[in-house]
PDB file of all heavy atoms in Angstrom:
ATOM      1  N   LEU A  17     -49.059  29.194  20.101  1.00 97.00           N
ATOM      2  CA  LEU A  17     -47.990  30.145  20.172  1.00 97.00           C
ATOM      3  C   LEU A  17     -46.752  29.631  19.504  1.00 97.00           C
ATOM      4  O   LEU A  17     -46.342  28.498  19.685  1.00 97.00           O
ATOM      5  CB  LEU A  17     -47.637  30.470  21.664  1.00 97.00           C
ATOM      6  CG  LEU A  17     -46.389  31.321  21.908  1.00 97.00           C
ATOM      7  CD1 LEU A  17     -46.733  32.778  21.565  1.00 97.00           C
ATOM      8  CD2 LEU A  17     -45.905  31.208  23.383  1.00 97.00           C
ATOM      9  N   THR A  18     -46.167  30.472  18.635  1.00 98.00           N
ATOM     10  CA  THR A  18     -44.877  30.121  17.989  1.00 98.00           C
ATOM     11  C   THR A  18     -43.831  31.121  18.553  1.00 98.00           C
ATOM     12  O   THR A  18     -44.101  32.326  18.547  1.00 98.00           O
ATOM     13  CB  THR A  18     -44.942  30.294  16.485  1.00 98.00           C
ATOM     14  OG1 THR A  18     -45.865  29.331  15.969  1.00 98.00           O
ATOM     15  CG2 THR A  18     -43.582  29.932  15.867  1.00 98.00           C
ATOM     16  N   ILE A  19     -42.734  30.605  19.062  1.00 98.00           N
ATOM     17  CA  ILE A  19     -41.631  31.452  19.434  1.00 98.00           C
ATOM     18  C   ILE A  19     -40.385  30.993  18.652  1.00 98.00           C
ATOM     19  O   ILE A  19     -40.307  29.842  18.229  1.00 98.00           O
ATOM     20  CB  ILE A  19     -41.355  31.379  20.986  1.00 98.00           C
ATOM     21  CG1 ILE A  19     -41.049  29.922  21.397  1.00 98.00           C
ATOM     22  CG2 ILE A  19     -42.589  31.884  21.761  1.00 98.00           C
ATOM     23  CD1 ILE A  19     -40.691  29.810  22.881  1.00 98.00           C
ATOM     24  N   TRP A  20     -39.478  31.943  18.483  1.00 98.00           N
ATOM     25  CA  TRP A  20     -38.305  31.590  17.621  1.00 98.00           C
ATOM     26  C   TRP A  20     -37.067  32.309  18.051  1.00 98.00           C
ATOM     27  O   TRP A  20     -37.129  33.328  18.711  1.00 98.00           O
ATOM     28  CB  TRP A  20     -38.537  31.803  16.180  1.00 98.00           C
ATOM     29  CG  TRP A  20     -38.858  33.232  15.711  1.00 98.00           C
ATOM     30  CD1 TRP A  20     -37.978  34.095  15.242  1.00 98.00           C
ATOM     31  CD2 TRP A  20     -40.156  33.837  15.623  1.00 98.00           C
ATOM     32  NE1 TRP A  20     -38.612  35.308  14.915  1.00 98.00           N
ATOM     33  CE2 TRP A  20     -39.922  35.150  15.156  1.00 98.00           C
ATOM     34  CE3 TRP A  20     -41.431  33.469  15.962  1.00 98.00           C
ATOM     35  CZ2 TRP A  20     -40.989  36.079  14.907  1.00 98.00           C
ATOM     36  CZ3 TRP A  20     -42.507  34.373  15.781  1.00 98.00           C
ATOM     37  CH2 TRP A  20     -42.249  35.623  15.288  1.00 98.00           C
ATOM     38  N   LEU A  21     -35.943  31.724  17.675  1.00 98.00           N
ATOM     39  CA  LEU A  21     -34.607  32.258  17.907  1.00 98.00           C
ATOM     40  C   LEU A  21     -33.958  32.550  16.627  1.00 98.00           C
ATOM     41  O   LEU A  21     -33.942  31.668  15.701  1.00 98.00           O
ATOM     42  CB  LEU A  21     -33.826  31.186  18.746  1.00 98.00           C
ATOM     43  CG  LEU A  21     -32.288  31.422  18.822  1.00 98.00           C
ATOM     44  CD1 LEU A  21     -31.937  32.530  19.773  1.00 98.00           C
ATOM     45  CD2 LEU A  21     -31.586  30.095  19.328  1.00 98.00           C
ATOM     46  N   ASP A  22     -33.367  33.746  16.508  1.00 98.00           N
ATOM     47  CA  ASP A  22     -32.502  34.026  15.380  1.00 98.00           C
ATOM     48  C   ASP A  22     -31.271  34.719  15.963  1.00 98.00           C
ATOM     49  O   ASP A  22     -31.043  34.777  17.128  1.00 98.00           O
ATOM     50  CB  ASP A  22     -33.197  34.785  14.297  1.00 98.00           C
ATOM     51  CG  ASP A  22     -33.712  36.173  14.734  1.00 98.00           C
ATOM     52  OD1 ASP A  22     -33.145  36.720  15.747  1.00 98.00           O
ATOM     53  OD2 ASP A  22     -34.671  36.685  14.108  1.00 98.00           O
ATOM     54  N   ARG A  23     -30.469  35.276  15.050  1.00 97.00           N
ATOM     55  CA  ARG A  23     -29.223  35.871  15.512  1.00 97.00           C
ATOM     56  C   ARG A  23     -29.395  37.034  16.420  1.00 97.00           C
ATOM     57  O   ARG A  23     -28.531  37.390  17.207  1.00 97.00           O
ATOM     58  CB  ARG A  23     -28.409  36.314  14.258  1.00 97.00           C
ATOM     59  CG  ARG A  23     -26.945  36.498  14.461  1.00 97.00           C
ATOM     60  CD  ARG A  23     -26.261  36.961  13.207  1.00 97.00           C
ATOM     61  NE  ARG A  23     -26.367  35.975  12.162  1.00 97.00           N
ATOM     62  CZ  ARG A  23     -25.504  34.922  11.998  1.00 97.00           C
ATOM     63  NH1 ARG A  23     -24.514  34.759  12.853  1.00 97.00           N
ATOM     64  NH2 ARG A  23     -25.666  34.042  10.984  1.00 97.00           N
ATOM     65  N   THR A  24     -30.596  37.662  16.357  1.00 97.00           N
ATOM     66  CA  THR A  24     -30.837  38.871  17.163  1.00 97.00           C
ATOM     67  C   THR A  24     -31.415  38.577  18.546  1.00 97.00           C
ATOM     68  O   THR A  24     -31.108  39.301  19.556  1.00 97.00           O
ATOM     69  CB  THR A  24     -31.779  39.833  16.469  1.00 97.00           C
ATOM     70  OG1 THR A  24     -33.099  39.205  16.329  1.00 97.00           O
ATOM     71  CG2 THR A  24     -31.250  40.170  15.044  1.00 97.00           C
ATOM     72  N   SER A  25     -32.199  37.502  18.692  1.00 98.00           N
ATOM     73  CA  SER A  25     -32.852  37.248  19.992  1.00 98.00           C
ATOM     74  C   SER A  25     -33.575  35.918  20.017  1.00 98.00           C
ATOM     75  O   SER A  25     -33.888  35.349  18.922  1.00 98.00           O
ATOM     76  CB  SER A  25     -33.908  38.359  20.247  1.00 98.00           C
ATOM     77  OG  SER A  25     -34.576  38.132  21.491  1.00 98.00           O
ATOM     78  N   GLY A  26     -33.840  35.420  21.222  1.00 98.00           N
ATOM     79  CA  GLY A  26     -34.760  34.376  21.421  1.00 98.00           C
ATOM     80  C   GLY A  26     -36.033  34.902  21.975  1.00 98.00           C
ATOM     81  O   GLY A  26     -36.395  36.075  21.754  1.00 98.00           O
ATOM     82  N   SER A  27     -36.799  34.104  22.739  1.00 98.00           N
ATOM     83  CA  SER A  27     -38.028  34.579  23.314  1.00 98.00           C
ATOM     84  C   SER A  27     -38.494  33.730  24.465  1.00 98.00           C
ATOM     85  O   SER A  27     -38.075  32.543  24.555  1.00 98.00           O
ATOM     86  CB  SER A  27     -39.110  34.598  22.170  1.00 98.00           C
ATOM     87  OG  SER A  27     -40.324  35.249  22.646  1.00 98.00           O
ATOM     88  N   GLY A  28     -39.275  34.320  25.338  1.00 98.00           N
ATOM     89  CA  GLY A  28     -39.784  33.584  26.523  1.00 98.00           C
ATOM     90  C   GLY A  28     -41.052  34.135  26.995  1.00 98.00           C
ATOM     91  O   GLY A  28     -41.405  35.240  26.751  1.00 98.00           O
ATOM     92  N   PHE A  29     -41.818  33.320  27.728  1.00 98.00           N
ATOM     93  CA  PHE A  29     -43.104  33.751  28.363  1.00 98.00           C
ATOM     94  C   PHE A  29     -43.146  33.241  29.768  1.00 98.00           C
ATOM     95  O   PHE A  29     -42.413  32.332  30.187  1.00 98.00           O
ATOM     96  CB  PHE A  29     -44.250  33.272  27.531  1.00 98.00           C
ATOM     97  CG  PHE A  29     -44.292  31.790  27.307  1.00 98.00           C
ATOM     98  CD1 PHE A  29     -45.033  30.948  28.188  1.00 98.00           C
ATOM     99  CD2 PHE A  29     -43.748  31.190  26.184  1.00 98.00           C
ATOM    100  CE1 PHE A  29     -45.104  29.623  27.997  1.00 98.00           C
ATOM    101  CE2 PHE A  29     -43.861  29.796  25.969  1.00 98.00           C
ATOM    102  CZ  PHE A  29     -44.510  29.010  26.866  1.00 98.00           C
ATOM    103  N   LYS A  30     -44.132  33.747  30.510  1.00 98.00           N
ATOM    104  CA  LYS A  30     -44.236  33.496  31.945  1.00 98.00           C
ATOM    105  C   LYS A  30     -45.673  33.527  32.410  1.00 98.00           C
ATOM    106  O   LYS A  30     -46.430  34.384  31.857  1.00 98.00           O
ATOM    107  CB  LYS A  30     -43.408  34.569  32.721  1.00 98.00           C
ATOM    108  CG  LYS A  30     -43.514  34.525  34.223  1.00 98.00           C
ATOM    109  CD  LYS A  30     -42.822  35.706  34.866  1.00 98.00           C
ATOM    110  CE  LYS A  30     -42.887  35.749  36.362  1.00 98.00           C
ATOM    111  NZ  LYS A  30     -42.253  36.927  36.952  1.00 98.00           N
ATOM    112  N   SER A  31     -46.056  32.630  33.290  1.00 98.00           N
ATOM    113  CA  SER A  31     -47.416  32.670  33.805  1.00 98.00           C
ATOM    114  C   SER A  31     -47.629  33.924  34.640  1.00 98.00           C
ATOM    115  O   SER A  31     -46.723  34.475  35.247  1.00 98.00           O
ATOM    116  CB  SER A  31     -47.708  31.404  34.683  1.00 98.00           C
ATOM    117  OG  SER A  31     -46.881  31.452  35.885  1.00 98.00           O
ATOM    118  N   VAL A  32     -48.879  34.377  34.627  1.00 97.00           N
ATOM    119  CA  VAL A  32     -49.229  35.594  35.377  1.00 97.00           C
ATOM    120  C   VAL A  32     -49.158  35.296  36.886  1.00 97.00           C
ATOM    121  O   VAL A  32     -48.739  36.133  37.672  1.00 97.00           O
ATOM    122  CB  VAL A  32     -50.645  36.060  34.949  1.00 97.00           C
ATOM    123  CG1 VAL A  32     -51.091  37.227  35.884  1.00 97.00           C
ATOM    124  CG2 VAL A  32     -50.650  36.454  33.520  1.00 97.00           C
ATOM    125  N   LYS A  33     -49.602  34.065  37.294  1.00 97.00           N
ATOM    126  CA  LYS A  33     -49.698  33.711  38.697  1.00 97.00           C
ATOM    127  C   LYS A  33     -48.554  32.819  39.116  1.00 97.00           C
ATOM    128  O   LYS A  33     -48.060  31.990  38.370  1.00 97.00           O
ATOM    129  CB  LYS A  33     -50.986  32.991  38.979  1.00 97.00           C
ATOM    130  CG  LYS A  33     -52.252  33.731  38.709  1.00 97.00           C
ATOM    131  CD  LYS A  33     -53.500  32.863  38.962  1.00 97.00           C
ATOM    132  CE  LYS A  33     -54.762  33.577  38.677  1.00 97.00           C
ATOM    133  NZ  LYS A  33     -55.948  32.653  38.861  1.00 97.00           N
ATOM    134  N   PRO A  34     -48.051  33.064  40.336  1.00 98.00           N
ATOM    135  CA  PRO A  34     -47.152  32.036  40.962  1.00 98.00           C
ATOM    136  C   PRO A  34     -47.914  30.950  41.647  1.00 98.00           C
ATOM    137  O   PRO A  34     -49.054  31.209  42.148  1.00 98.00           O
ATOM    138  CB  PRO A  34     -46.397  32.931  41.981  1.00 98.00           C
ATOM    139  CG  PRO A  34     -47.341  33.951  42.397  1.00 98.00           C
ATOM    140  CD  PRO A  34     -48.219  34.216  41.258  1.00 98.00           C
ATOM    141  N   PHE A  35     -47.324  29.752  41.642  1.00 98.00           N
ATOM    142  CA  PHE A  35     -47.987  28.614  42.265  1.00 98.00           C
ATOM    143  C   PHE A  35     -47.146  28.013  43.323  1.00 98.00           C
ATOM    144  O   PHE A  35     -45.888  28.086  43.228  1.00 98.00           O
ATOM    145  CB  PHE A  35     -48.304  27.567  41.208  1.00 98.00           C
ATOM    146  CG  PHE A  35     -49.276  27.996  40.135  1.00 98.00           C
ATOM    147  CD1 PHE A  35     -48.888  28.754  39.007  1.00 98.00           C
ATOM    148  CD2 PHE A  35     -50.594  27.624  40.255  1.00 98.00           C
ATOM    149  CE1 PHE A  35     -49.749  29.150  38.022  1.00 98.00           C
ATOM    150  CE2 PHE A  35     -51.532  28.010  39.287  1.00 98.00           C
ATOM    151  CZ  PHE A  35     -51.108  28.782  38.158  1.00 98.00           C
ATOM    152  N   ARG A  36     -47.751  27.327  44.296  1.00 97.00           N
ATOM    153  CA  ARG A  36     -46.994  26.549  45.286  1.00 97.00           C
ATOM    154  C   ARG A  36     -47.159  25.034  45.042  1.00 97.00           C
ATOM    155  O   ARG A  36     -46.518  24.251  45.670  1.00 97.00           O
ATOM    156  CB  ARG A  36     -47.324  26.978  46.653  1.00 97.00           C
ATOM    157  CG  ARG A  36     -48.746  26.660  47.184  1.00 97.00           C
ATOM    158  CD  ARG A  36     -48.859  26.956  48.668  1.00 97.00           C
ATOM    159  NE  ARG A  36     -50.138  26.505  49.215  1.00 97.00           N
ATOM    160  CZ  ARG A  36     -51.189  27.301  49.392  1.00 97.00           C
ATOM    161  NH1 ARG A  36     -51.123  28.545  49.081  1.00 97.00           N
ATOM    162  NH2 ARG A  36     -52.298  26.761  49.847  1.00 97.00           N
ATOM    163  N   SER A  37     -48.025  24.656  44.114  1.00 97.00           N
ATOM    164  CA  SER A  37     -48.202  23.290  43.672  1.00 97.00           C
ATOM    165  C   SER A  37     -49.094  23.315  42.498  1.00 97.00           C
ATOM    166  O   SER A  37     -49.831  24.320  42.166  1.00 97.00           O
ATOM    167  CB  SER A  37     -48.741  22.372  44.742  1.00 97.00           C
ATOM    168  OG  SER A  37     -50.074  22.704  45.089  1.00 97.00           O
ATOM    169  N   GLY A  38     -49.117  22.190  41.712  1.00 97.00           N
ATOM    170  CA  GLY A  38     -50.098  22.170  40.559  1.00 97.00           C
ATOM    171  C   GLY A  38     -49.621  21.278  39.435  1.00 97.00           C
ATOM    172  O   GLY A  38     -48.635  20.602  39.490  1.00 97.00           O
ATOM    173  N   TYR A  39     -50.455  21.294  38.399  1.00 97.00           N
ATOM    174  CA  TYR A  39     -50.205  20.558  37.134  1.00 97.00           C
ATOM    175  C   TYR A  39     -49.840  21.632  36.107  1.00 97.00           C
ATOM    176  O   TYR A  39     -50.645  22.569  35.902  1.00 97.00           O
ATOM    177  CB  TYR A  39     -51.422  19.768  36.741  1.00 97.00           C
ATOM    178  CG  TYR A  39     -51.254  19.014  35.410  1.00 97.00           C
ATOM    179  CD1 TYR A  39     -50.854  17.686  35.409  1.00 97.00           C
ATOM    180  CD2 TYR A  39     -51.431  19.626  34.198  1.00 97.00           C
ATOM    181  CE1 TYR A  39     -50.660  17.038  34.200  1.00 97.00           C
ATOM    182  CE2 TYR A  39     -51.254  18.977  32.997  1.00 97.00           C
ATOM    183  CZ  TYR A  39     -50.869  17.663  33.004  1.00 97.00           C
ATOM    184  OH  TYR A  39     -50.709  17.008  31.827  1.00 97.00           O
ATOM    185  N   PHE A  40     -48.710  21.462  35.413  1.00 98.00           N
ATOM    186  CA  PHE A  40     -48.258  22.479  34.433  1.00 98.00           C
ATOM    187  C   PHE A  40     -47.844  21.753  33.188  1.00 98.00           C
ATOM    188  O   PHE A  40     -46.938  20.916  33.218  1.00 98.00           O
ATOM    189  CB  PHE A  40     -47.086  23.244  35.055  1.00 98.00           C
ATOM    190  CG  PHE A  40     -47.379  23.759  36.442  1.00 98.00           C
ATOM    191  CD1 PHE A  40     -46.917  23.023  37.535  1.00 98.00           C
ATOM    192  CD2 PHE A  40     -48.089  24.935  36.617  1.00 98.00           C
ATOM    193  CE1 PHE A  40     -47.258  23.515  38.821  1.00 98.00           C
ATOM    194  CE2 PHE A  40     -48.366  25.383  37.891  1.00 98.00           C
ATOM    195  CZ  PHE A  40     -47.948  24.667  38.997  1.00 98.00           C
ATOM    196  N   GLY A  41     -48.444  22.088  32.055  1.00 98.00           N
ATOM    197  CA  GLY A  41     -48.104  21.365  30.858  1.00 98.00           C
ATOM    198  C   GLY A  41     -48.459  22.174  29.594  1.00 98.00           C
ATOM    199  O   GLY A  41     -49.099  23.283  29.646  1.00 98.00           O
ATOM    200  N   ALA A  42     -47.969  21.680  28.507  1.00 98.00           N
ATOM    201  CA  ALA A  42     -48.303  22.242  27.174  1.00 98.00           C
ATOM    202  C   ALA A  42     -47.948  21.199  26.147  1.00 98.00           C
ATOM    203  O   ALA A  42     -47.088  20.328  26.300  1.00 98.00           O
ATOM    204  CB  ALA A  42     -47.387  23.491  26.915  1.00 98.00           C
ATOM    205  N   SER A  43     -48.678  21.315  25.000  1.00 98.00           N
ATOM    206  CA  SER A  43     -48.354  20.494  23.867  1.00 98.00           C
ATOM    207  C   SER A  43     -47.377  21.247  23.015  1.00 98.00           C
ATOM    208  O   SER A  43     -47.578  22.399  22.693  1.00 98.00           O
ATOM    209  CB  SER A  43     -49.584  20.188  23.079  1.00 98.00           C
ATOM    210  OG  SER A  43     -50.519  19.347  23.846  1.00 98.00           O
ATOM    211  N   ILE A  44     -46.281  20.559  22.659  1.00 98.00           N
ATOM    212  CA  ILE A  44     -45.117  21.257  21.974  1.00 98.00           C
ATOM    213  C   ILE A  44     -44.736  20.489  20.750  1.00 98.00           C
ATOM    214  O   ILE A  44     -44.734  19.261  20.687  1.00 98.00           O
ATOM    215  CB  ILE A  44     -43.967  21.385  22.908  1.00 98.00           C
ATOM    216  CG1 ILE A  44     -44.318  22.109  24.233  1.00 98.00           C
ATOM    217  CG2 ILE A  44     -42.750  22.062  22.243  1.00 98.00           C
ATOM    218  CD1 ILE A  44     -43.249  22.076  25.312  1.00 98.00           C
ATOM    219  N   LYS A  45     -44.421  21.243  19.676  1.00 98.00           N
ATOM    220  CA  LYS A  45     -43.898  20.688  18.455  1.00 98.00           C
ATOM    221  C   LYS A  45     -42.547  21.341  18.184  1.00 98.00           C
ATOM    222  O   LYS A  45     -42.430  22.567  18.120  1.00 98.00           O
ATOM    223  CB  LYS A  45     -44.847  20.899  17.290  1.00 98.00           C
ATOM    224  CG  LYS A  45     -44.381  20.222  16.000  1.00 98.00           C
ATOM    225  CD  LYS A  45     -45.394  20.474  14.899  1.00 98.00           C
ATOM    226  CE  LYS A  45     -44.966  19.836  13.574  1.00 98.00           C
ATOM    227  NZ  LYS A  45     -45.927  20.074  12.485  1.00 98.00           N
ATOM    228  N   LEU A  46     -41.504  20.518  17.992  1.00 98.00           N
ATOM    229  CA  LEU A  46     -40.140  21.041  17.811  1.00 98.00           C
ATOM    230  C   LEU A  46     -39.758  21.126  16.346  1.00 98.00           C
ATOM    231  O   LEU A  46     -40.423  20.540  15.499  1.00 98.00           O
ATOM    232  CB  LEU A  46     -39.170  20.087  18.553  1.00 98.00           C
ATOM    233  CG  LEU A  46     -39.399  19.884  20.026  1.00 98.00           C
ATOM    234  CD1 LEU A  46     -38.434  18.879  20.554  1.00 98.00           C
ATOM    235  CD2 LEU A  46     -39.305  21.203  20.769  1.00 98.00           C
ATOM    236  N   GLN A  47     -38.710  21.879  16.062  1.00 97.00           N
ATOM    237  CA  GLN A  47     -38.238  22.044  14.734  1.00 97.00           C
ATOM    238  C   GLN A  47     -37.340  20.902  14.262  1.00 97.00           C
ATOM    239  O   GLN A  47     -36.433  20.500  15.016  1.00 97.00           O
ATOM    240  CB  GLN A  47     -37.454  23.370  14.608  1.00 97.00           C
ATOM    241  CG  GLN A  47     -36.838  23.621  13.237  1.00 97.00           C
ATOM    242  CD  GLN A  47     -36.350  24.999  13.072  1.00 97.00           C
ATOM    243  OE1 GLN A  47     -37.129  25.976  13.324  1.00 97.00           O
ATOM    244  NE2 GLN A  47     -35.124  25.182  12.592  1.00 97.00           N
ATOM    245  N   PRO A  48     -37.517  20.335  13.106  1.00 97.00           N
ATOM    246  CA  PRO A  48     -36.604  19.287  12.591  1.00 97.00           C
ATOM    247  C   PRO A  48     -35.317  19.884  12.039  1.00 97.00           C
ATOM    248  O   PRO A  48     -35.150  21.159  11.950  1.00 97.00           O
ATOM    249  CB  PRO A  48     -37.437  18.689  11.467  1.00 97.00           C
ATOM    250  CG  PRO A  48     -38.282  19.750  10.975  1.00 97.00           C
ATOM    251  CD  PRO A  48     -38.601  20.630  12.142  1.00 97.00           C
ATOM    252  N   GLY A  49     -34.380  19.032  11.724  1.00 97.00           N
ATOM    253  CA  GLY A  49     -33.175  19.460  11.103  1.00 97.00           C
ATOM    254  C   GLY A  49     -32.102  19.836  12.102  1.00 97.00           C
ATOM    255  O   GLY A  49     -32.063  19.347  13.253  1.00 97.00           O
TER     256      GLY A  49
END
């Protein structure tokens, strides 16, 4: 998934399920500059 921010908007996502405990992770690559 690629999400981006520009002058008009950013972006966000949400898990379908709520949790009361667990392991939550993702591999992420950030923008340079």
Side-chain angles (χ1 to χ4, degrees):
L17 173 74
T18 299
I19 59 176
W20 64 91
L21 166 72
D22 61 23
R23 200 181 298 274
T24 64
S25 178
S27 190
F29 57 88
K30 174 186 179 182
S31 65
V32 173
K33 297 178 182 178
F35 295 84
R36 65 173 190 263
S37 67
Y39 178 97
F40 311 96
S43 296
I44 302 172
K45 184 179 180 182
L46 303 175
Q47 176 168 310

